[in-house]
Amino acid sequence: MQGQNDASNNGNKPDRKKLLRRFYPILLNGVRTILQPIVFIVFSYLIVHYHSKGLWGGFVDYLLFFYLATLISNWGSKDYLSRSFSEKPKELIPEWQSHFTARLPLLLVTIAIVPFIFEQSAQLYFILWLIAGFVNNAFIPVYTYKRDFGKVILTELLGFALLIFLILRSSQELTVTDLVYFYALSQVLKALVYSLIYAAFFRFSRIQFKWGLLLLSLPFFLMGCAGFLQSKVDLYLFGFFHNKELLGEYQIISGFFIFSQSIATILLLPYLKNIYRMKAMSIRSLKQRMIWVGFFLNSLVVAAIYLALKLFFKIELSALEVGVGFFIGWPSYVYVMHVFYLFKKNAERTVLLISVVSLGFNFMLSLVLLSLDVAILGVLIANAIAQIVAMFLYLSKKIDDDLFKKDK
């Protein structure tokens, strides 16, 4: 009996090690992804607590432009290169270099717009922020594929530490220009560290502008546009209907719930290359697990959001707002495997179409409810309904390899 027990225990050890090996990348990637919203949460808390919501609302104007500029200059590179790396792992550096150089003119276009929109005192700092952000985002598909999440965490912590140091050491009353300057410096520091870690990627044998790559990654760019607007259109519309102080408050609330929406992808991102190689049956099985895990995990996340807003920002959500917030995050657990499966089958147009329909619902409902002066509850409802619409549309697309064989 003792021998059998020992054998049984020995037999379990590899399983435990295997589980740890699987869980470790998820844990690191989770920490890595959480760091960015934590930076914004702490950053916004310090500004709101020691200064004003109006000052944070003024900074949000720069933040919204940065989101748009990044969307354009990235041109769908994250999803395009993630799939490309999975298909051609030996061409990692050449693929990255080709897409990097092809997107440089897009970065220049976004930079050229800055002098026409923002105050002269903040223009140079904001341009540095845009350039550094371009470099930082360029390495997302690289460290995701390599699973270098530990290095990323250390880099993000360095940038975070610099940002907090600059805010706390400033004894004078801060301006929006100061905030842009501080944030730009933290982004530049991260860009320098990433450039050192992945120095081999900047060793170009020759520089070519392959414009055709922009056309190939166009579907991913359009999906990025639709996804971005779907999650941010309420924020842009909110700015038209309300003052900077209320806009700053809603940006904080929206940021929390958008993060809850992204957790499903965070859990799966370290295994994206494995998912692209899975059969339909395995993907369906993983999907069922995600649905139930998501229900309980999202409940905990929403409760944490409620407490964080109440304790740190003095923003108390109603029971209805909390309930609506749950349906902003949970649908993504239901349909995330459908998205990856459609990518696997090169069906980006289907994902794009669903994103556009969901965006339309979010835009129209946000516009109507804001016009009726429903304010924060209204835009949260619009966002949740858009997510539920997307969920049902994705569920109508079966995960079945035979269907795609018939199409071919």
Side-chain angles (χ1 to χ4, degrees):
M1 289 293 291
Q2 181 67 38
Q4 289 178 354
N5 289 337
D6 290 342
S8 176
N9 291 335
N10 290 335
N12 287 333
K13 286 182 180 179
D15 291 337
R16 290 174 186 170
K17 289 181 180 179
K18 190 174 182 180
L19 285 172
L20 285 173
R21 283 198 301 269
R22 289 181 176 180
F23 181 71
Y24 190 61
I26 294 177
L27 178 63
L28 287 181
N29 186 48
V31 172
R32 187 271 305 180
T33 312
I34 289 171
L35 272 179
Q36 191 172 45
I38 284 178
V39 169
F40 269 103
I41 291 167
V42 175
F43 188 34
S44 59
Y45 169 75
L46 291 173
I47 302 308
V48 170
H49 184 74
Y50 292 106
H51 298 277
S52 68
K53 290 181 181 177
L55 178 61
W56 177 252
F59 179 75
V60 169
D61 290 338
Y62 287 86
L63 202 58
L64 292 177
F65 182 86
F66 175 74
Y67 288 151
L68 281 173
T70 301
L71 179 69
I72 293 168
S73 61
N74 281 352
W75 199 262
S77 62
K78 181 172 74 70
D79 293 318
Y80 173 80
L81 287 175
S82 292
R83 190 178 70 181
S84 179
F85 292 165
S86 180
E87 292 174 348
K88 296 178 286 186
K90 293 182 180 180
E91 299 295 319
L92 197 72
I93 293 179
E95 284 286 306
W96 183 90
Q97 290 176 338
S98 296
H99 216 269
F100 185 86
T101 53
R103 293 184 293 110
L104 282 174
L106 300 176
L107 173 64
L108 296 177
V109 169
T110 61
I111 289 173
I113 299 172
V114 171
F116 299 98
I117 299 179
F118 297 104
E119 296 179 6
Q120 187 175 0
S121 59
Q123 286 175 12
L124 178 59
Y125 306 140
F126 193 47
I127 288 171
L128 285 174
W129 178 3
L130 290 173
I131 295 171
F134 179 81
V135 174
N136 293 334
N137 286 314
F139 287 114
I140 292 177
V142 177
Y143 61 63
T144 300
Y145 181 81
K146 289 176 168 287
R147 298 180 182 175
D148 287 340
F149 302 126
K151 296 176 183 177
V152 176
I153 290 169
L154 291 175
T155 304
E156 293 293 327
L157 286 174
L158 279 174
F160 183 30
L162 176 61
L163 181 62
I164 301 306
F165 171 76
L166 291 171
I167 294 172
L168 294 179
R169 73 181 290 271
S170 180
S171 56
Q172 62 183 19
E173 185 65 25
L174 295 178
T175 65
V176 173
T177 300
D178 293 326
L179 298 186
V180 174
Y181 173 57
F182 293 163
Y183 205 80
L185 286 180
S186 71
Q187 293 296 306
V188 168
L189 175 61
K190 290 196 298 183
L192 290 173
V193 175
Y194 281 129
S195 298
L196 290 173
I197 294 173
Y198 300 109
F201 285 78
F202 283 119
R203 293 173 189 150
F204 292 85
S205 56
R206 58 177 178 170
I207 296 178
Q208 290 180 302
F209 290 94
K210 297 182 179 179
W211 309 111
L213 286 176
L214 298 182
L215 186 60
L216 288 174
S217 55
L218 178 62
F220 292 99
F221 167 68
L222 295 175
M223 282 186 292
C225 289
F228 168 80
L229 291 174
Q230 180 185 336
S231 63
K232 292 290 191 296
V233 67
D234 52 347
L235 192 59
Y236 284 95
L237 287 173
F238 201 91
F240 282 106
F241 285 87
H242 296 283
N243 58 36
K244 289 186 183 297
E245 184 172 342
L246 200 56
L247 172 63
E249 182 174 312
Y250 179 65
Q251 192 277 331
I252 294 168
I253 296 170
S254 174
F256 272 105
F257 282 118
I258 294 302
F259 171 68
S260 74
Q261 195 179 91
S262 68
I263 292 177
T265 305
I266 293 171
L267 292 173
L268 296 171
L269 203 58
Y271 304 105
L272 192 54
K273 63 182 179 183
N274 305 92
I275 291 171
Y276 282 146
R277 296 164 186 167
M278 283 182 178
K279 298 292 184 183
M281 184 174 67
S282 300
I283 292 178
R284 287 196 299 268
S285 176
L286 185 54
K287 169 194 162 184
Q288 293 303 317
R289 295 179 194 175
M290 288 295 297
I291 291 173
W292 291 109
V293 167
F295 184 86
F296 293 106
L297 183 57
N298 193 56
S299 299
L300 294 174
V301 169
V302 170
I305 289 172
Y306 172 79
L307 291 174
L309 288 173
K310 182 179 180 179
L311 295 175
F312 299 110
F313 296 94
K314 309 303 179 187
I315 300 171
E316 188 162 359
L317 299 177
S318 67
L320 182 56
E321 287 170 335
V322 171
V324 170
F326 175 85
F327 287 100
I328 291 176
W330 183 63
S332 62
Y333 291 90
V334 179
Y335 67 69
V336 65
M337 294 306 303
H338 287 265
V339 175
F340 289 146
Y341 183 71
L342 289 169
F343 282 170
K344 166 185 165 70
K345 294 299 181 180
N346 297 313
E348 295 89 6
R349 291 182 182 179
T350 302
V351 179
L352 174 59
L353 179 61
I354 293 174
S355 297
V356 169
V357 172
S358 180
L359 164 62
F361 272 90
N362 199 356
F363 177 80
M364 293 305 299
L365 288 170
S366 294
L367 188 61
V368 170
L369 293 171
L370 284 170
S371 300
L372 296 173
D373 201 26
V374 184
I376 289 175
L377 176 60
V379 284
L380 289 177
I381 289 173
N383 204 331
I385 291 175
Q387 282 298 302
I388 292 169
V389 168
M391 179 181 73
F392 281 110
L393 289 174
Y394 277 117
L395 289 176
S396 70
K397 307 298 177 183
K398 294 183 178 180
I399 298 175
D400 189 343
D401 290 338
D402 291 335
L403 292 176
F404 283 89
K405 288 177 182 177
K406 289 176 184 177
D407 291 341
K408 292 180 181 180

